[in-house]
Amino acid sequence: MKLLYFAWVKEKAGIAEEDVTLPAAISDVAGVIGWLKSRGENYALAFADLALIRCAVDQEHGDLATPVAGASEIAFFPPVTGG
Amino acid sequence: MKLLYFAWVKEKAGIAEEDVTLPAAISDVAGVIGWLKSRGENYALAFADLALIRCAVDQEHGDLATPVAGASEIAFFPPVTGG
Amino acid sequence: MIRVGPQDFDIGAEVRALTAGRTDIGAVVTFSGIVRDVPLELEHYPGMTEKELARIEAEAHRRWPLQASLILHRTGRLLPGDNIVLVIAASAHRQAAFEAASFLMDYLKTRAPFWKKEERNGEAHWVDARESDDEAMKKWE
Amino acid sequence: MIRVGPQDFDIGAEVRALTAGRTDIGAVVTFSGIVRDVPLELEHYPGMTEKELARIEAEAHRRWPLQASLILHRTGRLLPGDNIVLVIAASAHRQAAFEAASFLMDYLKTRAPFWKKEERNGEAHWVDARESDDEAMKKWE
């Protein structure tokens, strides 16, 4: 599964993109974030305030409860500021 | 005083513009229309349905009650349809 | 800015003219009206037209914080697909620009002294005013 | 139609491309966003950006009778006065065109995956999302 990070989430995590294999027990976006935070300080920093984190599963907006089973791409980013 | 007619008001009245001297007793737009209708069939035809007549006194929208004393230009026309 | 006459317009050029060299404009809304279906002739009231459009524009600037605006209306004979009218509202933020442009069009439609004569099946007839235009005006009162 | 990339745009040319040869379009509303004050860098999510904009455009066509539409968003580094975004909505009547263009911008502002990084006094920082954009979305729900 591919994980993508954008804007300050990317900068705080210190990574733009990575391929990971999630533990089988992880079923939703909240689970992915919890697992990432356990992997290193950089993730703990990036995901410190979940109110500021948005996500997309397979390029569609999701939230903490969105299932990740079978997903091929999960992205994390701040609230969007385009336009 | 100059009187102007536009669109189908002009066509029905058969005149685009004329200079007139109003009888002294005429004080408002309604008076002007009444006087015009007494002057000929063409005006009676143009002003047959007052619900469809709009007017401007000195190039500002008015209505039947708008005073005409001192005005230099009165225009009569249908509801506008530009844009 | 007000412009009335037979000349066609280019939306991009008009927007550039309004915004050139400025860094306080963040949002530009344009409305352009195009002739549908049949040819038409636009009559207007020279003199009053310009004054009324200037009054409408001034009212929009009184209601919204606009950096710039334009009302441009063509006159004379126009064919299907031709431009008729262009309204531009420029502001720091988009809400003001959208509302002002919509307001300018609603006011123009009910107050600017233009009259359309359409040519349908070889016959010319004056277009009737639309009640929906009067309705649209009411939301600004 | 969706277009995402570094290229600048010309509003007039884009409107002409959408309306050329058609006599069923009576009203065209454009919104263009322009960089104010300071330079900025636009990051986005390639792949999702195009999909999300296409979803937003499809939703506008579901809600309003649109003859044509365009969402164009620039990426990369932009300077004060530069164009950022262009939205066009074309319909038979003006109310639909105004509402759809406004809807497209409100949705784009809160859902399209773009992030602005501003350069102020030599320091780059990510722009915070505006609560007023979330508020603007609510009127379409």
Side-chain angles (χ1 to χ4, degrees):
Chain A
M1 176 184 293
K2 197 200 283 187
L3 299 184
L4 299 168
Y5 308 90
F6 292 99
W8 59 252
V9 178
K10 173 181 67 181
E11 292 181 354
K12 288 187 179 178
I15 187 170
E17 185 175 332
E18 60 186 323
D19 283 301
V20 300
T21 305
L22 293 180
I26 290 175
S27 63
D28 59 18
V29 169
V32 177
I33 293 176
W35 175 70
L36 284 171
K37 286 169 93 165
S38 74
R39 289 175 69 211
E41 263 309 303
N42 56 325
Y43 297 108
L45 187 69
F47 292 99
D49 184 356
L50 288 187
L52 295 178
I53 298 292
R54 299 292 179 271
C55 68
V57 176
D58 286 342
Q59 307 194 343
E60 285 202 45
H61 286 290
D63 56 31
L64 293 174
T66 303
V68 297
S72 58
E73 185 171 311
I74 303 178
F76 297 100
F77 42 78
V80 303
T81 56
Chain B
M1 176 183 294
K2 197 200 280 188
L3 298 185
L4 299 167
Y5 308 91
F6 292 99
W8 57 252
V9 178
K10 173 181 67 181
E11 291 180 356
K12 288 187 180 178
I15 186 169
E17 185 176 332
E18 60 186 324
D19 283 300
V20 299
T21 305
L22 293 180
I26 291 174
S27 63
D28 59 20
V29 169
V32 177
I33 294 176
W35 176 71
L36 285 170
K37 286 170 92 164
S38 75
R39 288 174 68 213
E41 262 310 301
N42 56 324
Y43 297 107
L45 186 68
F47 292 100
D49 184 356
L50 288 188
L52 295 178
I53 298 293
R54 300 291 179 271
C55 67
V57 175
D58 285 340
Q59 306 194 344
E60 284 202 47
H61 285 291
D63 55 32
L64 292 174
T66 302
V68 297
S72 58
E73 185 171 310
I74 303 177
F76 296 100
F77 42 79
V80 303
T81 57
Chain C
M1 241 170 50
I2 302 299
R3 216 150 75 226
V4 178
Q7 300 79 12
D8 195 9
F9 54 80
D10 177 84
I11 305 174
E14 297 298 342
V15 170
R16 276 191 297 278
L18 284 187
T19 59
R22 302 188 64 156
T23 57
D24 57 342
I25 294 175
V28 181
V29 171
T30 77
F31 173 91
S32 48
I34 299 174
V35 181
R36 290 189 298 154
D37 308 338
V38 295
L40 56 82
E41 184 87 27
L42 265 159
E43 181 170 327
H44 76 117
Y45 181 174
M48 178 172 172
T49 303
E50 293 79 0
K51 279 186 197 159
E52 189 65 23
L53 292 178
R55 285 189 282 260
I56 293 168
E57 188 180 45
E59 179 64 21
H61 281 257
R62 205 179 62 73
R63 295 187 184 209
W64 289 278
L66 300 180
Q67 256 73 13
S69 60
L70 172 70
I71 309 177
L72 192 167
H73 204 299
R74 296 183 71 190
T75 57
R77 189 175 150 82
L78 300 171
L79 301 176
D82 281 355
N83 292 314
I84 309 177
V85 63
L86 174 64
V87 151
I88 305 180
S91 181
H93 300 291
R94 75 183 183 285
Q95 196 66 19
F98 268 118
E99 286 182 12
S102 174
F103 169 90
L104 288 169
M105 279 308 302
D106 285 345
Y107 262 62
L108 186 155
K109 281 268 184 186
T110 50
R111 298 188 64 87
F114 291 94
W115 301 274
K116 287 194 189 102
K117 194 172 197 173
E118 287 185 351
E119 294 166 31
R120 246 176 235 281
N121 311 318
E123 276 186 44
H125 69 100
W126 295 98
V127 172
D128 284 331
R130 291 170 54 197
E131 232 171 88
S132 62
D133 288 331
D134 290 328
E135 285 305 310
M137 267 288 277
K138 287 184 185 149
K139 68 171 174 284
W140 306 111
E141 280 162 13
Chain D
M1 241 170 49
I2 302 299
R3 216 150 74 226
V4 178
Q7 300 80 13
D8 195 10
F9 54 80
D10 177 85
I11 305 174
E14 298 298 341
V15 170
R16 277 191 297 276
L18 284 187
T19 59
R22 301 189 65 158
T23 57
D24 58 342
I25 293 176
V28 180
V29 171
T30 78
F31 174 91
S32 49
I34 300 174
V35 182
R36 289 188 299 154
D37 308 337
V38 296
L40 56 84
E41 185 87 27
L42 264 159
E43 180 170 330
H44 76 117
Y45 181 174
M48 178 172 171
T49 303
E50 293 78 0
K51 278 184 197 160
E52 190 63 25
L53 292 179
R55 285 190 282 260
I56 292 168
E57 187 180 44
E59 179 63 21
H61 281 256
R62 206 179 60 72
R63 294 187 184 209
W64 289 277
L66 300 181
Q67 256 75 13
S69 60
L70 171 70
I71 308 178
L72 192 165
H73 205 299
R74 297 183 71 189
T75 57
R77 188 174 150 82
L78 300 172
L79 300 176
D82 281 355
N83 292 315
I84 310 177
V85 62
L86 174 64
V87 151
I88 305 179
S91 182
H93 300 292
R94 75 183 184 285
Q95 196 66 17
F98 269 117
E99 287 182 11
S102 175
F103 169 91
L104 288 168
M105 277 310 300
D106 285 344
Y107 263 61
L108 185 154
K109 282 266 182 188
T110 51
R111 297 187 65 87
F114 291 95
W115 301 274
K116 287 194 188 106
K117 195 173 197 174
E118 287 185 349
E119 294 165 31
R120 244 177 236 280
N121 311 319
E123 276 185 44
H125 70 102
W126 295 99
V127 172
D128 285 331
R130 291 171 53 197
E131 231 171 90
S132 62
D133 288 332
D134 290 329
E135 286 304 309
M137 269 286 275
K138 286 184 185 150
K139 67 172 176 282
W140 306 111
E141 277 162 15

PDB file of all heavy atoms in Angstrom, chain B residues 70-83:
ATOM      1  N   GLY B  70     -40.806  72.144 -14.913  1.00  0.00           N
ATOM      2  CA  GLY B  70     -39.381  72.440 -15.089  1.00  0.00           C
ATOM      3  C   GLY B  70     -38.599  71.365 -15.815  1.00  0.00           C
ATOM      4  O   GLY B  70     -37.426  71.543 -16.091  1.00  0.00           O
ATOM      5  N   ALA B  71     -39.231  70.241 -16.110  1.00  0.00           N
ATOM      6  CA  ALA B  71     -38.513  69.160 -16.810  1.00  0.00           C
ATOM      7  C   ALA B  71     -38.215  69.590 -18.240  1.00  0.00           C
ATOM      8  O   ALA B  71     -39.000  70.317 -18.861  1.00  0.00           O
ATOM      9  CB  ALA B  71     -39.348  67.888 -16.803  1.00  0.00           C
ATOM     10  N   SER B  72     -37.091  69.131 -18.765  1.00  0.00           N
ATOM     11  CA  SER B  72     -36.787  69.484 -20.152  1.00  0.00           C
ATOM     12  C   SER B  72     -36.977  68.295 -21.087  1.00  0.00           C
ATOM     13  O   SER B  72     -37.008  68.454 -22.297  1.00  0.00           O
ATOM     14  CB  SER B  72     -35.357  70.030 -20.268  1.00  0.00           C
ATOM     15  OG  SER B  72     -34.447  69.081 -19.788  1.00  0.00           O
ATOM     16  N   GLU B  73     -37.108  67.065 -20.504  1.00  0.00           N
ATOM     17  CA  GLU B  73     -37.198  65.889 -21.374  1.00  0.00           C
ATOM     18  C   GLU B  73     -38.021  64.796 -20.677  1.00  0.00           C
ATOM     19  O   GLU B  73     -37.695  64.409 -19.563  1.00  0.00           O
ATOM     20  CB  GLU B  73     -35.767  65.380 -21.652  1.00  0.00           C
ATOM     21  CG  GLU B  73     -35.664  64.249 -22.624  1.00  0.00           C
ATOM     22  CD  GLU B  73     -34.205  63.962 -22.998  1.00  0.00           C
ATOM     23  OE1 GLU B  73     -33.485  64.915 -23.363  1.00  0.00           O
ATOM     24  OE2 GLU B  73     -33.784  62.791 -22.896  1.00  0.00           O
ATOM     25  N   ILE B  74     -39.071  64.334 -21.341  1.00  0.00           N
ATOM     26  CA  ILE B  74     -39.856  63.213 -20.807  1.00  0.00           C
ATOM     27  C   ILE B  74     -39.855  62.106 -21.849  1.00  0.00           C
ATOM     28  O   ILE B  74     -40.108  62.360 -23.034  1.00  0.00           O
ATOM     29  CB  ILE B  74     -41.311  63.619 -20.497  1.00  0.00           C
ATOM     30  CG1 ILE B  74     -41.329  64.793 -19.508  1.00  0.00           C
ATOM     31  CG2 ILE B  74     -42.082  62.432 -19.903  1.00  0.00           C
ATOM     32  CD1 ILE B  74     -42.736  65.285 -19.205  1.00  0.00           C
ATOM     33  N   ALA B  75     -39.555  60.863 -21.405  1.00  0.00           N
ATOM     34  CA  ALA B  75     -39.503  59.737 -22.345  1.00  0.00           C
ATOM     35  C   ALA B  75     -40.523  58.687 -21.945  1.00  0.00           C
ATOM     36  O   ALA B  75     -40.750  58.443 -20.756  1.00  0.00           O
ATOM     37  CB  ALA B  75     -38.104  59.136 -22.358  1.00  0.00           C
ATOM     38  N   PHE B  76     -41.136  58.049 -22.951  1.00  0.00           N
ATOM     39  CA  PHE B  76     -42.106  56.979 -22.718  1.00  0.00           C
ATOM     40  C   PHE B  76     -41.634  55.726 -23.437  1.00  0.00           C
ATOM     41  O   PHE B  76     -41.179  55.796 -24.584  1.00  0.00           O
ATOM     42  CB  PHE B  76     -43.483  57.391 -23.237  1.00  0.00           C
ATOM     43  CG  PHE B  76     -44.045  58.569 -22.512  1.00  0.00           C
ATOM     44  CD1 PHE B  76     -43.969  59.839 -23.077  1.00  0.00           C
ATOM     45  CD2 PHE B  76     -44.639  58.420 -21.266  1.00  0.00           C
ATOM     46  CE1 PHE B  76     -44.479  60.950 -22.401  1.00  0.00           C
ATOM     47  CE2 PHE B  76     -45.164  59.514 -20.589  1.00  0.00           C
ATOM     48  CZ  PHE B  76     -45.085  60.786 -21.158  1.00  0.00           C
ATOM     49  N   PHE B  77     -41.745  54.591 -22.757  1.00  0.00           N
ATOM     50  CA  PHE B  77     -41.246  53.343 -23.356  1.00  0.00           C
ATOM     51  C   PHE B  77     -41.839  52.130 -22.648  1.00  0.00           C
ATOM     52  O   PHE B  77     -42.400  52.257 -21.562  1.00  0.00           O
ATOM     53  CB  PHE B  77     -39.710  53.307 -23.296  1.00  0.00           C
ATOM     54  CG  PHE B  77     -39.111  53.789 -21.985  1.00  0.00           C
ATOM     55  CD1 PHE B  77     -39.071  52.970 -20.866  1.00  0.00           C
ATOM     56  CD2 PHE B  77     -38.577  55.080 -21.883  1.00  0.00           C
ATOM     57  CE1 PHE B  77     -38.501  53.412 -19.687  1.00  0.00           C
ATOM     58  CE2 PHE B  77     -38.021  55.539 -20.685  1.00  0.00           C
ATOM     59  CZ  PHE B  77     -37.973  54.705 -19.582  1.00  0.00           C
ATOM     60  N   PRO B  78     -41.712  50.935 -23.272  1.00  0.00           N
ATOM     61  CA  PRO B  78     -42.182  49.704 -22.617  1.00  0.00           C
ATOM     62  C   PRO B  78     -41.182  49.290 -21.528  1.00  0.00           C
ATOM     63  O   PRO B  78     -40.072  49.835 -21.466  1.00  0.00           O
ATOM     64  CB  PRO B  78     -42.167  48.663 -23.743  1.00  0.00           C
ATOM     65  CG  PRO B  78     -41.766  49.365 -24.981  1.00  0.00           C
ATOM     66  CD  PRO B  78     -41.164  50.660 -24.619  1.00  0.00           C
ATOM     67  N   PRO B  79     -41.561  48.309 -20.687  1.00  0.00           N
ATOM     68  CA  PRO B  79     -40.589  47.732 -19.746  1.00  0.00           C
ATOM     69  C   PRO B  79     -39.322  47.347 -20.509  1.00  0.00           C
ATOM     70  O   PRO B  79     -39.409  46.838 -21.633  1.00  0.00           O
ATOM     71  CB  PRO B  79     -41.310  46.504 -19.209  1.00  0.00           C
ATOM     72  CG  PRO B  79     -42.761  46.862 -19.301  1.00  0.00           C
ATOM     73  CD  PRO B  79     -42.885  47.694 -20.556  1.00  0.00           C
ATOM     74  N   VAL B  80     -38.164  47.568 -19.886  1.00  0.00           N
ATOM     75  CA  VAL B  80     -36.894  47.367 -20.595  1.00  0.00           C
ATOM     76  C   VAL B  80     -36.586  45.871 -20.763  1.00  0.00           C
ATOM     77  O   VAL B  80     -37.026  45.036 -19.972  1.00  0.00           O
ATOM     78  CB  VAL B  80     -35.738  48.076 -19.864  1.00  0.00           C
ATOM     79  CG1 VAL B  80     -36.049  49.558 -19.719  1.00  0.00           C
ATOM     80  CG2 VAL B  80     -35.466  47.434 -18.516  1.00  0.00           C
ATOM     81  N   THR B  81     -35.830  45.541 -21.814  1.00  0.00           N
ATOM     82  CA  THR B  81     -35.527  44.138 -22.114  1.00  0.00           C
ATOM     83  C   THR B  81     -34.081  43.953 -22.578  1.00  0.00           C
ATOM     84  O   THR B  81     -33.788  43.103 -23.416  1.00  0.00           O
ATOM     85  CB  THR B  81     -36.481  43.605 -23.207  1.00  0.00           C
ATOM     86  OG1 THR B  81     -36.351  44.453 -24.359  1.00  0.00           O
ATOM     87  CG2 THR B  81     -37.915  43.602 -22.756  1.00  0.00           C
ATOM     88  N   GLY B  82     -33.180  44.753 -22.010  1.00  0.00           N
ATOM     89  CA  GLY B  82     -31.776  44.618 -22.403  1.00  0.00           C
ATOM     90  C   GLY B  82     -31.084  43.469 -21.679  1.00  0.00           C
ATOM     91  O   GLY B  82     -31.709  42.656 -21.022  1.00  0.00           O
ATOM     92  N   GLY B  83     -29.760  43.457 -21.824  1.00  0.00           N
ATOM     93  CA  GLY B  83     -28.957  42.471 -21.096  1.00  0.00           C
ATOM     94  C   GLY B  83     -28.878  41.149 -21.808  1.00  0.00           C
ATOM     95  O   GLY B  83     -29.518  40.940 -22.806  1.00  0.00           O
TER      96      GLY B  83
END
